[in-house]
Amino acid sequence: MEEYVIKAVTARQIYDSRANPTVEVDVVLHDGSTGRGMVPSGASTGIYEALELRDGGDHLGGKGVATAVRNVRETLAPALIGMDARDQKAIDATMIALDGTPTKSRLGANAILGCSMATAWAAAAHRRMPLYAYLGGAMATTIPVPMIQIIGGGAHAAHAIDVQDFLVIPLSAPTFAAGYEMVVNVYMAAKKVFEEKSKPLSVADEGGFWPTGFTTNEEGLALLTESIVRAGYTPGKDIGIALDIASSEFYDEKTGTYRFSLENRTFSREEFVDLLVDWVDRYTIISIEDGASDVDWEGARLLTEKLGDRVQLIGDDLFTTNVDRIRKGIDEHTYNSVLIKPNQIGTITETFEAIAVTKNNGFLPVISARSGETEDAIIVHLAIASNAGQLKVGSVARSERTAKWNEAIRIEEALGDSAHYPSAKVFTDAGIRIFN
C-alpha cells in the first residue's frame, strides 16, 4: 500500500473556547503521518451557512456532537480509507457527494470539515512541509494584516451593546510582528481607559473587553480612539478602526428596519446607512463588516454606493463563504470584500474556491476565525497559502486566539526575506481610500 494513502480516520467530541462540544478528527496515513482537525463554531451564524450538526435534546444543552462524530466513524471514514490524502479535491468531493444536500445537513458540515482539515494536515505531515507551503507552494509568502478585536459586543458579549466587534488594524507597521505589537499596546491602553472610567475588566467570547455600562454604541468608537492615542499612535495613520456590525442580529425583515436596543432607537434602511457614513466621517474607520443584514441586499448596495471607495466593506452573513452568493455580490456591486470562514462552507477545497473567486474579481478576502475556537491554527496557514492578505481571529487575549497570532509570527520568521507583509497597501492597492 502506498505510504500516502489514508489508513485510518477517527473522530471524537472535544470542547471549544466557549465550553461547547465540537468535532475533532484524526486522519492517519500508511506511513504513520497524522493530521488532526478541530472544528470551530460561531455564535452569530448566517442563515445561509452550511449546517453545524448538533444532537439536540437536554444533554449538554442540545449542543452535543455525538451524531456528527458517528457520521465520521460510520459513513465518512469507510469512504476515505484507501484514498490518496494528497488529492484534497477528490477527498472533499467524495464527502460532499456522500452528504448529498446543499448545506451538508445530512452528515453535518462539522463532520465533513473535520475530515477535510485533518486530511490536509496529514498530507502536509507526509510531505514534511508546513501546511501553508504544502497548500500554497513556493508563492505562499504573504503574511496577513491582522484585524484584532479590542471591544467585543453583540452575540459575543450577551448583547451588552448592539455592535458586535470594535477592532483595530495596524497600518504603519513594516512586519506582522511589529503590527501585532502595536495592537497589543492599544489593548493595554484600552485596559487603562476602562479602569479610569470605572468599567469592569472582563472579556467577551473572543478576548476583547466586555462593554459593561456603555450607554451608546458610539461610546465604543470614542473609547477605542482614546486607546489608540493613549498607546502613542495616530488614528488613521498608524492604526485604523474596523467594525463588525453583525446587523443581521437586530434587523427586522418585516419592517425593513434596524434597531439598537441599547439606545432604544429604530432606523430605516437609509437611516442606518447614513449612521454608518456619519461614523466613517467622524472616526478613522477603514473597515465595516455586515453593515446590512444577510437578507437586505438593497441596504448592502446602498452602503456600497456611499462608502465602497472609502472603506473596506466586508460581507460575512450575506456571502457565507459560498461561491454562488459571492458571485451575486460581485455582479450586483455589493460590498468590496468577503469574510472567509471554512466552517461556513464545510471543506478546504470550497474555501479555496471562495478565496479565488473573491480575489479574481477584485474583492478582498479576509480569512476569519469563529467566536467558538480551538487551538487549531489552520486558518493562519490558509491565509498564507492563498496570499489572502488579511486575517481576523479575535483579540490578543485567550490562548485559542494567541495560538493563531503566534503561528503567524513564527511563519513570518521562518520565511525570512521571502515574507511579504502588505500593511496598508492591502487596501490602497485595491483602490480603497483609507486614511494613511
Side-chain angles (χ1 to χ4, degrees):
M1 184 66 69
E2 299 288 353
E3 58 185 9
Y4 47 77
V5 167
I6 295 175
K7 178 181 179 180
V9 180
T10 189
R12 63 191 62 86
Q13 177 175 282
I14 61 168
Y15 296 84
D16 69 16
S17 59
R18 285 200 300 260
N20 286 330
T22 190
V23 176
E24 178 177 88
V25 177
D26 289 346
V27 167
V28 182
L29 309 188
H30 269 272
D31 71 343
S33 298
T34 301
R36 172 170 291 164
M38 293 174 271
V39 180
S41 64
S44 58
T45 55
I47 60 176
Y48 301 104
E49 292 192 24
L51 180 77
E52 180 183 74
L53 190 62
R54 300 283 183 177
D55 297 337
D58 297 328
H59 183 61
L60 290 169
K63 293 183 178 291
V65 292
T67 304
V69 167
R70 186 169 60 250
N71 288 342
V72 172
R73 292 175 176 174
E74 297 180 1
T75 303
L76 295 172
L80 299 183
I81 290 171
M83 292 190 70
D84 184 344
R86 301 170 303 176
D87 194 344
Q88 187 76 41
K89 188 173 183 179
I91 294 285
D92 292 343
T94 295
M95 294 190 290
I96 291 169
L98 276 171
D99 178 85
T101 69
T103 58
K104 301 178 176 66
S105 58
R106 189 174 81 85
L107 299 176
N110 43 352
I112 293 170
L113 180 61
C115 294
S116 185
M117 294 165 65
T119 300
W121 281 116
H126 164 71
R127 293 286 300 276
R128 293 177 174 81
M129 297 174 68
L131 183 60
Y132 73 87
Y134 168 72
L135 291 174
M139 301 303 292
T141 58
T142 300
I143 308 299
V145 176
M147 181 186 298
I148 303 180
Q149 183 194 84
I150 304 297
I151 302 169
H156 299 165
H159 299 280
I161 55 176
D162 302 286
V163 173
Q164 184 162 279
D165 291 326
F166 295 82
L167 313 100
V168 295
I169 301 174
L171 298 175
S172 61
T175 65
F176 177 91
Y180 188 74
E181 183 176 313
M182 291 169 67
V183 175
V184 169
N185 289 335
V186 174
Y187 185 86
M188 295 305 180
K191 182 182 290 188
K192 293 179 181 177
V193 173
F194 265 68
E195 290 173 339
E196 291 171 6
K197 295 182 181 297
S198 299
K199 295 185 181 297
L201 281 173
S202 56
V203 297
D205 281 355
E206 296 189 355
F209 295 112
W210 193 289
T212 303
F214 280 42
T215 56
T216 68
N217 287 275
E218 191 175 341
E219 186 177 348
L221 286 166
L223 194 153
L224 190 51
T225 301
E226 183 178 349
S227 301
I228 293 169
V229 173
R230 184 77 65 90
Y233 303 116
T234 301
K237 179 180 179 182
D238 298 312
I239 301 278
I241 292 174
L243 298 175
D244 180 357
I245 306 296
S247 59
S248 300
E249 297 285 312
F250 50 83
Y251 178 69
D252 186 332
E253 187 175 2
K254 291 182 180 178
T255 61
T257 59
Y258 294 86
R259 179 170 179 77
F260 279 168
S261 297
L262 176 66
E263 304 168 29
N264 193 26
R265 297 173 67 190
T266 300
F267 306 86
S268 67
R269 173 186 295 115
E270 293 74 17
E271 289 170 341
F272 193 66
V273 168
D274 287 343
L275 173 72
L276 297 181
V277 172
D278 178 60
W279 283 358
V280 169
D281 287 340
R282 293 189 294 111
Y283 296 95
T284 54
I285 297 168
I286 64 171
S287 180
I288 296 175
E289 180 182 331
D290 281 352
S293 160
D294 51 5
V295 294
D296 187 14
W297 285 90
E298 186 176 343
R301 283 190 291 269
L302 180 61
L303 185 63
T304 307
E305 289 173 9
K306 295 201 172 187
L307 289 177
D309 63 342
R310 296 177 59 188
V311 302
Q312 176 172 249
L313 296 175
I314 306 172
D316 175 18
D317 291 346
L318 192 70
F319 296 144
T320 58
T321 318
N322 183 297
V323 167
D324 291 338
R325 298 187 65 80
I326 294 169
R327 286 197 174 109
K328 180 178 178 180
I330 291 164
D331 291 343
E332 298 192 11
H333 305 287
T334 303
Y335 296 150
N336 56 30
S337 181
V338 179
L339 204 70
I340 303 291
K341 296 173 176 174
N343 84 320
Q344 282 185 329
I345 194 63
T347 66
I348 298 300
T349 299
E350 290 167 297
T351 300
F352 271 99
E353 288 173 351
I355 295 170
V357 168
T358 298
K359 293 175 66 176
N360 291 342
N361 286 277
F363 276 38
L364 294 175
V366 181
I367 313 302
S368 176
R370 301 307 299 254
S371 53
E373 265 296 337
T374 73
E375 57 271 35
D376 196 319
I378 194 169
I379 60 168
V380 181
H381 291 262
L382 295 179
I384 297 171
S386 63
N387 291 311
Q390 293 182 77
L391 181 65
K392 179 189 178 195
V393 169
S395 195
V396 297
R398 299 181 56 133
S399 59
E400 79 280 357
R401 311 293 154 183
T402 58
K404 297 165 181 59
W405 298 130
N406 290 339
E407 185 77 342
I409 291 171
R410 295 184 198 104
I411 295 173
E412 183 175 56
E413 179 184 278
L415 283 170
D417 292 341
S418 298
H420 167 63
Y421 180 72
S423 199
K425 286 174 65 64
V426 74
F427 304 107
T428 55
D429 284 354
I432 300 172
R433 297 184 291 111
I434 61 167
F435 306 92
N436 68 329

